[in-house]
Amino acid sequence: MKKRLIILMVLILGMMVVGCNKAESGGISQEYKDAMSKGKSNVIEEEYDKAIDYFKLALESKKDDTEAKNLIEQLSLLVEAKDSEEDGAYFLQIEKIDKINDIKTETDVVKDKDNEYNKIVLKNIDDSIDSFEEEINDGKYKSAQKDLEDTIEECKKSESLKEQLDKCNELLKICKEKKKEAEEQVASNSNSNASSNKSSDEKNSNKVWCYGMGHPGHYVDKENAILNYGVTGSLCDGCMREND
């Protein structure tokens, strides 16, 4: 009887120990822990494809685990953002970067890498905006205005681009002002040329061509010329006297 009681107590104690261990670990297997740990290490080393594989392995050990799922989603977006770099699709990259930060996770291991990459993308956008300023300085107002207006529309889509949006709006204002000044200058020059041509035409309308009668031809005032002299044309007083 005593022997049975001892065996029963050992079994009860064993069950209690197992129960406590499960409670402490929350029912998480060692395989899950190892996979999550290795996945995070791969993120730090920027081996994102390997990290995704480890997080998927963690999901096999713990079905429907939100943390593993969200880390996979974050990494997939980060990989897509990096793949878009060669195409210069900076605003598409910003869109994916913003989505990563909107996904909730217990660890910030992916978000930290995301924020590091965000600085690179912002630098690329800043360089593009600087090139628009160069266009303005070179007098390429039409192309600069279009580039700025397109960039402004893209910047409006992300709160992280407020600084770039403000700079573009300021440059667009300067661009329009300089474009207006240039157009006014062209109009002024055109009016000046028209006025000059008009004066020249009026001046020439008071003159006639003297055929010279043995002397080189030349223009003379109408009042000093004999118009339609003979059949050859007009003749000025000077030439007329020399031939008298």
Side-chain angles (χ1 to χ4, degrees), residues 141-155:
Y141 306 123
K142 185 176 181 180
S143 60
Q145 181 173 339
K146 184 180 185 307
D147 290 336
L148 284 166
E149 288 173 344
D150 291 344
T151 302
I152 286 171
E153 289 304 311
E154 293 294 338
C155 287

Side-chain angles (χ1 to χ4, degrees), residues 55-136:
F55 292 139
K56 286 181 178 179
L57 186 61
L59 273 176
E60 292 179 9
S61 299
K62 188 180 179 183
K63 302 294 184 182
D64 301 321
D65 181 61
T66 302
E67 182 74 359
K69 281 184 176 180
N70 288 347
L71 287 171
I72 291 171
E73 186 178 357
Q74 285 180 331
L75 280 174
S76 298
L77 287 167
L78 184 55
V79 169
E80 290 174 8
K82 283 181 168 289
D83 288 344
S84 303
E85 186 173 351
E86 292 182 1
D87 301 326
Y90 305 137
F91 297 108
L92 177 61
Q93 290 178 301
I94 288 293
E95 180 183 339
K96 295 184 183 300
I97 287 170
D98 288 345
K99 285 182 179 179
I100 291 171
N101 283 313
D102 289 339
I103 299 171
K104 294 181 179 179
T105 51
E106 295 177 8
T107 175
D108 290 334
V109 65
V110 178
K111 288 184 179 180
D112 289 341
K113 289 295 180 181
D114 175 57
N115 291 330
E116 287 178 14
Y117 188 63
N118 185 46
K119 294 177 182 178
I120 297 173
V121 178
L122 290 178
K123 176 65 168 55
N124 290 334
I125 293 175
D126 288 337
D127 289 344
S128 294
I129 295 173
D130 288 341
S131 71
F132 304 153
E133 188 171 7
E134 291 176 5
E135 284 185 297
I136 295 172

